[in-house]
């Protein structure tokens, strides 16, 4: 049985990184996809682990060669998910987590049937700004831009499957674990048409039809 594909998005400062780290510690079967980006490493970031840091030309080549599952221009830099690692890990039965922005999430939803989109919500915009201040990795101007962008992004969360509130870290992590566990035995609406057609044509639905690997990229 192939693993499931989970997207986690949320505004800068909502705590995606912390949540994902905790998930990884508690769920050994997870694989966290490592994105490529053209932004420079922040202090403490490890190349190849946090991101694969590349230049604009290398990024362009990956786009042209169709090596990215999705990509987007976020806060002045390019970010993308290398396709190969995602499908390899899914085939191995791992649950793959993409921590990407909403433009990327929508692209993945269009190209892969079974993907679960989770949006991590902050308790308030004020709290979000506080968390960004505490992180202190960006200057004032960029922090303001990030908060503004978060406000814009909120309108798009209606396209997500689940909203998880990150007020209490334990509750947020447990909720996402529940969603991941559940996703092994249910399929998302992306596969509804296929299931209906199979039933109508006199077919029998079994757990193989719930296997992520039944539906590879772009196959509907
Ligand atoms: P940061 O620079 O703070 O690590 O990430 C900035 C934003 O880019 C975050 O919203 C993060 O989720 C998003 N991001 C990181 N990697 C990717 C990716 O591969 N694709 C897309 N679309 N967004 C990404």
């Amino acid at each position: 049985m192939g693993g499931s594909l989970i997207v986690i998005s949320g505004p800068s400062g909502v705590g995606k990184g912390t949540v994902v780290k905790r998930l990884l510690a508690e769920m050994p079967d997870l694989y966290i996809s490592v994105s490529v980006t053209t932004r420079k490493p922040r202090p403490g970031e490890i190349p190849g682990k946090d991101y694969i840091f590349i230049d604009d030309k290398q990024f362009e080549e990956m786009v042209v060669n169709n090596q990215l599952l999705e990509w987007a221009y976020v806060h002045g830099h390019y970010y993308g998910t290398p396709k190969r690692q995602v499908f390899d890990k899914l085939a191995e039965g791992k649950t793959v987590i993409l921590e990407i922005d909403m433009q990327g999430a929508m692209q993945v939803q269009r190209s892969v049937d079974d993907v679960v989109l989770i949006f991590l919500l902050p308790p308030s915009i004020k709290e979000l700004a506080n968390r960004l201040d505490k992180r202190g990795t960006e200057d004032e101007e960029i922090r303001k831009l990030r908060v503004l962008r978060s406000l814009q992004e909120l309108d798009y969360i209606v396209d997500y499957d689940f909203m998880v509130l990150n007020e209490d870290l334990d509750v947020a992590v447990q909720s996402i674990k529940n969603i991941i566990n559940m996703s092994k035995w249910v399929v998302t609406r992306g596969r509804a048409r296929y299931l209906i057609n199979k039933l109508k044509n006199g077919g029998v639905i079994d757990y193989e039809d719930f296997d992520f690997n039944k539906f590879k990229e772009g196959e509907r």
Side-chain angles (χ1 to χ4, degrees), residues 15-57:
K16 281 168 293 179
T18 314
V19 166
V20 168
K21 260 190 218 118
R22 273 276 301 274
L23 286 172
L24 190 60
E26 295 179 25
M27 300 183 96
D29 253 3
L30 290 192
Y31 174 75
I32 316 292
S33 156
V34 182
S35 297
V36 291
T37 182
T38 60
R39 96 156 153 69
K40 297 278 169 280
R42 295 195 188 113
E45 280 185 332
I46 303 166
K49 187 166 174 280
D50 294 300
Y51 283 104
I52 297 163
F53 297 97
I54 59 177
D55 61 27
D56 282 8
K57 189 163 175 291

Side-chain angles (χ1 to χ4, degrees), residues 2-8 30-33 69-70 81-83 85-87 89-90 93-100 104-105 107-109 111-118 161-162 179-180 183-184 186 188 191 211-213 215-217:
S4 15
L5 183 60
I6 312 281
V7 166
I8 301 182
L30 290 192
Y31 174 75
I32 316 292
S33 156
L69 176 59
E70 60 73 36
T81 304
K83 198 184 274 186
Q85 54 166 10
V86 170
F87 289 107
K89 296 293 170 185
L90 287 171
K94 297 244 182 210
T95 296
V96 176
I97 307 260
L98 309 183
E99 193 213 305
I100 60 177
Q107 290 172 49
V108 177
Q109 197 177 42
S111 62
V112 180
D113 271 319
D114 274 319
V115 53
V116 177
L117 304 183
I118 301 175
D161 300 305
F162 297 100
I179 295 170
I180 292 173
S183 74
K184 292 195 176 103
V186 297
T188 56
R191 200 175 294 187
D211 185 348
F212 177 87
N213 287 304
F215 284 77
K216 298 248 168 52
E217 187 206 349

Side-chain angles (χ1 to χ4, degrees), residues 8-12 16 35-36 39 42 45 51 70-72 74-75 79-81 99-101 103-105 135 138 146 149 153:
I8 301 182
S9 304
S12 271
K16 281 168 293 179
S35 297
V36 291
R39 96 156 153 69
R42 295 195 188 113
E45 280 185 332
Y51 283 104
E70 60 73 36
W71 62 273
V74 190
H75 308 308
Y79 293 82
T81 304
E99 193 213 305
I100 60 177
D101 86 322
Q103 307 169 65
R135 190 161 88 181
E138 278 94 13
R146 286 186 179 237
R149 192 182 140 97
E153 283 192 344

